[in-house]
């Protein structure tokens, strides 16, 4: 559900940015430190929004990669510890009650 709300919020933000950009079509002077250029404001707004989206997306991809790497490392550590100690995970409560009910049914004539 969180992903759907994020998608809706992103679409609303994109729509508002597009409307704002279309309203502002006047040319503006942009100083690029080595020269000055006249660019329509719509291109400047869309360009800055695109650059911001690329930065946020890159950070999200990097974070996801780092978390997947950490999960792989922790899973390997858990498997190593379980093999060294012989530990097995206890069954969840639902499975334990189901198994005990199955055993009781097999034992009763």
């Amino acid at each position: 559900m969180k992903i759907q709300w994020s998608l809706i919020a992103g679409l609303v933000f994109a729509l508002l940015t597009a409307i704002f950009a279309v309203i502002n079509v006047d040319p503006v002077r942009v100083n690029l430190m080595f020269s000055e250029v006249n660019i329509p404001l719509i291109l400047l707004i869309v360009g800055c929004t695109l650059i911001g989206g690329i930065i946020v997306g890159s950070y999200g991809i990097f974070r996801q990669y780092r978390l997947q790497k950490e999960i792989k490392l922790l899973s390997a550590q858990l498997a190593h510890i379980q093999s060294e100690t012989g530990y097995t995970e206890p069954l969840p409560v639902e499975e334990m009650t189901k198994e005990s009910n199955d055993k009781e049914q097999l034992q009763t004539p």
Side-chain angles (χ1 to χ4, degrees), residues 88-97 99:
T88 57
E89 295 181 31
L91 293 174
V93 176
E94 298 87 26
E95 288 184 26
M96 289 175 42
T97 56
E99 283 184 9

Side-chain angles (χ1 to χ4, degrees), residues 39-77:
I39 302 175
L41 190 55
I42 186 171
L43 292 179
L44 191 63
I45 293 169
V46 171
C48 290
T49 304
L50 182 64
I51 291 170
I54 290 171
I55 291 170
V56 169
S58 299
Y59 176 72
I61 291 170
F62 171 74
R63 186 172 162 214
Q64 184 177 6
Y65 171 75
R66 194 177 68 202
L67 288 174
Q68 286 177 347
K69 189 175 177 181
E70 184 178 356
I71 288 171
K72 187 183 283 188
L73 175 70
L74 292 174
S75 296
Q77 286 179 353

Side-chain angles (χ1 to χ4, degrees), residues 25-39:
V25 292
D26 299 330
V28 293
R29 183 177 297 248
V30 178
N31 186 355
L32 301 173
M33 293 172 66
F34 52 86
S35 69
E36 290 184 359
V37 293
N38 287 327
I39 302 175

